[in-house]
Amino acid sequence: ASTPGVVNGSMGFNDETFEPTYVLRLGAPGKSAGLDIGSRLGLPPDLIDSARSRMSSSERDIAKFLSELHARLDSVTRIESELKGERQRLADRAETLERDYIKKRDAKVRELEQKTQELAEHFEKEARQTIDQITQGAEQRKSAEQALRKVAKTKREFLEEVSTEVEHERPANAKPKPKIEEGARVRLKGIRQPARVRRKLPNDMIEVDAGLMKMQVPIEDVEEVLDPSAAEPKSKLPKGVSYHQQGPAWNVTHSEINVVGRHAEEALEEVDKFLDQAALAQVERVRIVHGFGMGVLKKAIGGLLEKNPHVEKFYPATQMEGGGGATIAELKA
């Protein structure tokens, strides 16, 4: 063991039968079983006892130590083999569980999509049957057209809500992110008018021009990257009339404005300007964060929204959007 370039080695044998195992062990010297084997082969007991008495105490101690060492090596080898088998079994079990989970998740997504389509078709069918019953006369036809528009809007909102639930069930890599470059024309969630990308920002944000409004929105709000070869919509301004924006652009993040802590007069001025810019950008829905407090600011903003010509309707935000501390306003098309 102390000689450079040399390593101990031994051939194993069965302690019970004293038969060779033909297994080479490196790193430890072999134990001597000559006397045990001689006794098993029938040598006289007095000869074996005489031989054992001639061994020094250190030789007997070494023989005993080597015997215990080899027994422990056998135990470690057996445990390593069992651990390896258990590790493989757990890996196989984990793979099976993951495969079953993916299969069940995909089945649930397909079932939800099918139910969504069936509900939408049933809803539209029932609505049209009801509208057909009242489409008689000029005034009734006008009411029917308004009802049809409301049905289409309700259906769109319903499908958007369910689509959001479906997206939560899809795997993260089911829908690749659209490739967005600076200067590209895109369509954003909740905004009717196409926007143009000004520049990319950190944390998956982009800055866009939507009409007369400059906005900062997350990339996930981009629903579609428009074909660059498609013609841009013509201006709605009268012939011979042009518009040039003066001063800094009105910055909006996530189609919302926060006036918490403002005086009522200052807050109303900011909200009124915000609504003008949102209407010019053809934003469909905005959120106004005013906080809770004593309710004075909320009441003042409600009065402004009730009279504002851009607002179709307004209502308190859901708990997920701020509850009583914010107001949602839907703008006219």
Side-chain angles (χ1 to χ4, degrees):
S2 61
T3 303
V6 178
V7 64
N8 268 310
S10 63
M11 295 299 292
F13 65 96
N14 190 306
D15 290 330
E16 299 295 332
T17 64
F18 297 106
E19 294 177 348
T21 62
Y22 303 101
V23 176
L24 174 63
R25 291 172 174 167
L26 297 178
K31 63 180 181 179
S32 176
L35 295 179
D36 294 332
I37 294 175
S39 177
R40 183 172 180 273
L41 292 177
L43 290 181
D46 56 343
L47 181 62
I48 298 299
D49 293 339
S50 176
R52 291 188 188 281
S53 66
R54 296 174 184 273
M55 296 176 63
S56 64
S57 60
S58 61
E59 289 175 328
R60 286 193 297 270
D61 290 342
I62 290 175
K64 182 180 178 181
F65 167 75
L66 290 176
S67 179
E68 293 177 353
L69 176 62
H70 281 275
R72 293 187 181 184
L73 287 175
D74 290 340
S75 177
V76 169
T77 301
R78 185 180 66 259
I79 292 173
E80 285 181 344
S81 178
E82 293 175 354
L83 287 176
K84 183 178 180 181
E86 183 67 15
R87 188 181 298 112
Q88 183 62 43
R89 188 188 69 80
L90 291 176
D92 294 341
R93 177 60 177 167
E95 183 178 354
T96 301
L97 290 175
E98 182 179 8
R99 185 167 56 248
D100 292 344
Y101 167 75
I102 292 175
K103 186 184 297 183
K104 291 180 181 178
R105 180 196 59 200
D106 292 344
K108 184 177 180 181
V109 169
R110 288 193 298 270
E111 181 183 358
L112 185 56
E113 288 176 335
Q114 183 178 357
K115 288 184 178 180
T116 299
Q117 187 63 31
E118 291 175 355
L119 287 173
E121 292 175 356
H122 176 74
F123 178 80
E124 186 174 12
K125 180 181 178 181
E126 293 291 330
R128 288 189 177 278
Q129 289 177 351
T130 303
I131 292 170
D132 289 342
Q133 296 175 1
I134 63 172
T135 54
Q136 298 176 1
E139 290 298 322
Q140 291 177 335
R141 284 195 297 273
K142 182 177 179 181
S143 299
E145 291 173 355
Q146 293 176 348
L148 280 172
R149 286 196 295 271
K150 290 183 178 180
V151 167
K153 181 178 180 181
T154 304
K155 176 185 175 182
R156 184 179 68 253
E157 292 175 348
F158 171 74
L159 290 175
E160 289 176 353
E161 181 178 351
V162 177
S163 177
T164 301
E165 296 297 328
V166 171
E167 288 301 322
H168 290 166
E169 295 292 339
R170 291 185 186 276
N173 58 354
K175 183 178 180 182
K177 292 183 179 179
K179 185 177 181 181
I180 300 173
E181 304 291 344
E182 294 182 359
R185 293 175 62 243
V186 297
R187 194 176 300 281
L188 303 174
K189 293 180 182 177
I191 299 180
R192 291 179 285 270
Q193 182 179 6
R196 185 173 295 280
V197 179
R198 291 173 58 91
R199 60 194 178 105
K200 293 182 178 180
L201 302 173
N203 300 323
D204 284 338
M205 299 286 291
I206 56 174
E207 183 176 279
V208 300
D209 284 331
L212 306 179
M213 189 159 56
K214 182 172 69 176
M215 307 173 64
Q216 293 181 4
V217 299
I219 291 180
E220 63 185 22
D221 280 2
V222 176
E223 292 185 331
E224 180 185 3
V225 177
L226 301 178
D227 186 355
S229 61
E232 295 192 23
K234 297 181 179 179
S235 172
K236 295 184 179 180
L237 295 175
K239 184 178 180 181
V241 177
S242 60
Y243 174 84
H244 300 283
Q245 183 175 346
Q246 298 295 327
W250 184 255
N251 290 317
V252 181
T253 303
H254 294 87
S255 301
E256 69 177 39
I257 183 173
N258 190 330
V259 292
V260 175
R262 304 281 204 283
H263 293 295
E265 184 177 353
E266 180 185 4
L268 292 178
E269 183 179 352
E270 290 188 14
V271 172
D272 191 48
K273 184 177 180 181
F274 171 78
L275 293 173
D276 288 342
Q277 296 289 344
L280 288 172
Q282 299 185 14
V283 176
E284 296 178 341
R285 182 178 183 274
V286 297
R287 184 168 77 118
I288 303 167
V289 182
H290 43 65
F292 294 90
M294 301 297 293
V296 176
L297 190 55
K298 177 181 179 180
K299 183 177 180 180
I301 290 175
L304 171 66
L305 296 176
E306 189 174 2
K307 299 177 182 178
N308 191 281
H310 302 308
V311 177
E312 177 76 25
K313 62 179 180 179
F314 63 94
Y315 44 85
T318 64
Q319 292 299 320
M320 295 293 293
E321 296 179 298
T327 298
I328 303 299
E330 295 185 8
L331 306 187
K332 296 179 180 179

